[in-house]
Amino acid sequence: MSRRALTLLVSGFLVLVLGILGATAKVPYVVLSPGPTENTIGEIEKKPVIAISGRPTYPTSGALSLVTVAYQGGPSSRIDLLTALRGWIDPSVAVVPEETIFPDTRSQKQVEEENTVEMTNSQDYATAAALTELKISYETLVLVASIQKGKPADGKLKDGDKINTVDGRRVTELKTVSDAVRAHKPGETVTFNVTRGAKTLDVTVPTEAGPDGKAIVGVVMQPKYEFPFDVDINVGDVGGPSAGLMFSLGIIDKLTPGQLTGGKDIAGTGTITPAGQVGAIGGIAQKMVGARKSGASVFLTPAENCDEALQAVPDGLRLVKADNLHNAVLALDALRTGKGEVPACGTG
């Protein structure tokens, strides 16, 4: 056999071995890629993404799209080396260590369940934020979500208790409870008035010192909102809290005359608080690519993500900075009318 033929044979064998290894060797990385977009003022499978009943609604136009990130990999379904290599050379894809998405302290199933809970909470927060922006009153209830075992509240308060007052002070938000407890010295008692089933009762709970030396009782709380009409949000198999801003804008658009978008195709992302503050999200680069591919020309960007977004913004996508819901509405008004300032990433 000639030297050339031998070289080709050895090279071919090595390529084959490397190909087999690449296709079979599993690596602890996760591939993040642009996921689907959903128009919050549109429909999924002929059902409105946002359905409002018990309150007049108005026609909408254009799109207010939420954006998502798809992932491959995870502890129970690791990707192969070739998939990771393809991701590393694709600028629209990110390959990140597995523990970034799935910490060692939680299983893949637990992370996915947490994402589902965060999505449900974001829908409630988005509705609360939209109604706050529109100055529509609603009631905030504070419930006991869980009790920390061995802490003072263990055996006294119960999961599902509705906290009405703390030391006689009416409870309207989570902070009311935490402030009232922390106002005590460790060892002092706190009196909770709670509704438990059909009963209303007073429960006295001692306090102890927390890690910072302040008084705690060891209760985890969650808000529950009672809105004056029904807002039902349907997004299918999407998790996480990052669609909050776009849900809020979709609700506002449906509840107010005129079209918030002016017919434009607008996408965006950002968590939302009931007070309307917009928070940072992950996967901004992949979300922008998905938005542009779906036809969006404007992208509402959390202020905290602006620097990162500017490094990867696709051609033809205008970044509009959103630090809170009210300013996002004003920005859309300015885009639609051509009057007023449109805050951009990289300015002010």
Side-chain angles (χ1 to χ4, degrees):
M1 182 181 295
S2 68
R3 180 176 296 177
R4 182 172 181 275
L6 181 61
T7 300
L8 288 173
L9 180 62
V10 172
S11 298
F13 177 74
L14 290 174
V15 168
L16 177 62
V17 170
L18 289 173
I20 293 172
L21 286 174
T24 57
K26 302 299 181 181
V27 292
Y29 288 89
V30 174
V31 174
L32 305 179
S33 59
T37 63
E38 297 292 353
N39 180 10
T40 62
I41 52 175
E43 296 184 340
I44 295 178
E45 297 179 352
K46 299 183 179 180
K47 292 182 179 180
V49 173
I50 298 174
I52 298 173
S53 56
R55 183 90 175 187
T57 57
Y58 301 88
T60 60
S61 66
L64 286 166
S65 296
L66 64 88
V67 287
T68 64
V69 175
Y71 76 85
Q72 287 178 274
S76 63
S77 55
R78 282 184 169 165
I79 59 172
D80 58 57
L81 182 59
L82 285 180
T83 300
L85 291 172
R86 284 195 297 267
W88 273 313
I89 62 176
D90 185 341
S92 70
V93 167
V95 181
V96 299
E98 190 176 83
E99 61 269 19
T100 305
I101 310 298
F102 303 101
D104 292 339
T105 54
R106 300 196 299 278
S107 68
Q108 184 165 338
K109 182 179 179 182
Q110 286 175 317
V111 170
E112 290 168 352
E113 288 173 348
E114 288 170 8
N115 285 339
T116 300
V117 170
E118 287 180 336
M119 169 56 77
T120 301
N121 288 341
S122 77
Q123 294 172 8
D124 287 341
Y125 297 165
T127 303
L131 269 58
T132 298
E133 174 68 18
L134 296 174
K135 296 179 171 57
I136 298 173
S137 298
Y138 60 90
E139 187 175 0
T140 304
L141 310 179
V142 175
L143 306 182
V144 174
S146 63
I147 306 293
Q148 295 176 329
K149 190 171 180 59
K151 295 298 181 182
D154 191 8
K156 295 183 178 294
L157 295 174
K158 293 187 176 182
D159 294 1
D161 281 352
K162 173 181 171 287
I163 303 175
N164 303 312
T165 66
V166 182
D167 291 335
R169 183 180 176 187
R170 183 170 175 267
V171 172
T172 57
E173 59 179 341
L174 302 183
K175 189 172 182 293
T176 307
V177 181
S178 58
D179 285 352
V181 172
R182 291 169 70 85
H184 286 272
K185 294 179 181 178
E188 294 180 344
T189 58
V190 185
T191 301
F192 293 84
N193 178 269
V194 303
T195 298
R196 183 178 297 164
K199 297 180 180 179
T200 298
L201 59 154
D202 289 328
V203 181
T204 301
V205 182
T207 62
E208 66 176 41
D212 61 357
K214 298 288 187 178
I216 64 168
V217 295
V219 62
V220 178
M221 300 169 293
Q222 68 180 35
K224 180 181 179 182
Y225 303 100
E226 292 192 347
F227 302 117
F229 50 87
D230 292 332
V231 179
D232 184 44
I233 300 177
N234 163 46
V235 287
D237 188 23
V238 176
S242 64
L245 171 62
M246 302 314 292
F247 287 147
S248 290
L249 291 171
I251 293 167
I252 289 172
D253 200 11
K254 290 200 163 197
L255 289 175
T256 52
Q259 285 80 45
L260 196 57
T261 67
K264 288 184 170 62
D265 192 336
I266 294 167
T269 188
T271 64
I272 198 81
T273 69
Q277 289 301 121
V278 175
I281 52 82
I284 189 75
Q286 289 71 46
K287 289 178 178 178
M288 290 190 298
V289 170
R292 190 69 187 115
K293 284 183 177 179
S294 74
S297 57
V298 174
F299 191 81
L300 295 170
T301 311
E304 295 174 69
N305 286 114
C306 270
D307 289 345
E308 182 185 358
L310 285 169
Q311 303 302 313
V313 58
D315 291 339
L317 192 65
R318 180 179 183 178
L319 300 185
V320 174
K321 181 168 63 176
D323 56 356
N324 60 58
L325 178 59
H326 181 69
N327 287 340
V329 171
L330 292 180
L332 292 181
D333 287 342
L335 282 169
R336 185 181 67 255
T337 63
K339 299 176 183 178
E341 181 183 356
V342 180
C345 284
T347 62

